[in-house]
């Protein structure tokens, strides 16, 4: 029984580490936003899924709280594209032009009818919308059944 207990304990410790990493990614604290975003994109990649991450002009002076929010938005968008859209290819672009920050996530998934967002379906995007609203930003969704989805987010990082 001891080997089985040790194995289960190892699994539990690994799961606890994964949860802790997701709560506050260490790379966000140590290496910055761009590295943390690149790493989360890489962590989702598999044989069935490719994710291309592009970063343009990301500055290091974005407040930590805002960096965590940006990270969470990208994480949620990736999760939605994988879990709900069945995407096999995703492009994540993050860029900054002075005090304006842009996030674009494009996927080749099954897409959806954007009218569903008005009827209360599309709850998966509610967390993203709430975060963007908190940042006083804009969220634009271009999707159609069978055509993938493109999400564009824009907000000010001057806080």
């Amino acid at each position: 029984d001891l080997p089985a207990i040790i194995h289960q304990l190892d699994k539990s410790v690994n799961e606890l580490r994964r949860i802790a990493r997701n709560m506050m990614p260490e790379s966000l604290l140590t290496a910055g936003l761009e590295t943390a975003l690149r790493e989360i994109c890489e962590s989702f990649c598999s044989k069935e899924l490719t994710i291309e991450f592009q970063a343009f002009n990301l500055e290091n002076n974005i407040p930590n709280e805002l960096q965590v929010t940006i990270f969470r938005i990208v994480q949620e968008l990736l999760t939605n594209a994988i879990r709900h859209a069945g995407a096999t290819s995703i492009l994540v672009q993050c860029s900054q032009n002075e005090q304006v920050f842009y996030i674009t996530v494009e996927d080749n998934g099954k897409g959806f009818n954007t009218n569903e967002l008005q009827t209360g379906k599309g709850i998966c995007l509610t967390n993203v919308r709430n975060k963007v609203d908190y940042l006083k930003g804009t969220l634009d969704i271009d999707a159609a059944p069978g055509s993938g989805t493109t999400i564009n987010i824009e907000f000010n990082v001057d806080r």
Side-chain angles (χ1 to χ4, degrees):
D1 269 352
L2 186 58
I5 292 170
I6 290 172
H7 176 73
Q8 185 61 38
L9 185 58
D10 283 343
K11 284 176 55 177
S12 297
V13 167
N14 287 336
E15 179 66 9
L16 183 58
R17 284 185 181 134
R18 186 191 65 76
I19 291 169
R21 222 178 5 256
N22 282 337
M23 290 178 69
M24 176 53 79
E26 187 175 326
S27 61
L28 188 57
L29 296 172
T30 59
L33 180 61
E34 185 174 337
T35 299
L37 291 171
R38 186 175 311 284
E39 286 181 0
I40 193 165
C41 289
E42 290 171 358
S43 74
F44 279 107
C45 287
S46 68
K47 294 186 301 192
E48 299 83 25
L49 174 66
T50 59
I51 301 175
E52 181 181 351
F53 174 70
Q54 299 173 350
F56 305 99
N57 303 319
L58 301 189
E59 296 180 10
N60 294 325
N61 61 351
I62 299 171
N64 288 340
E65 176 187 328
L66 195 50
Q67 289 186 43
V68 171
T69 303
I70 293 167
F71 181 87
R72 294 287 173 232
I73 289 171
V74 171
Q75 183 179 43
E76 184 82 25
L77 292 174
L78 285 171
T79 301
N80 289 345
I82 297 164
R83 184 177 297 153
H84 302 293
T88 59
S89 178
I90 302 172
L91 171 64
V92 177
Q93 292 180 325
C94 293
S95 60
Q96 189 173 351
N97 183 2
E98 296 183 12
Q99 298 304 314
V100 181
F101 198 95
Y102 304 92
I103 300 171
T104 298
V105 176
E106 298 178 11
D107 70 61
N108 70 343
K110 62 184 179 181
F112 62 95
N113 184 339
T114 55
N115 292 333
E116 291 178 358
L117 296 174
Q118 315 309 328
T119 62
K121 292 183 178 177
I123 291 180
C124 299
L125 288 172
T126 301
N127 287 337
V128 172
R129 187 175 302 281
N130 289 340
K131 286 177 177 66
V132 173
D133 288 346
Y134 171 75
L135 298 173
K136 297 181 176 87
T138 60
L139 172 69
D140 178 59
I141 302 170
D142 181 19
S147 298
T149 302
T150 299
I151 297 178
N152 293 297
I153 298 171
E154 180 181 327
F155 53 89
N156 196 313
V157 291
D158 184 22
R159 302 201 139 242

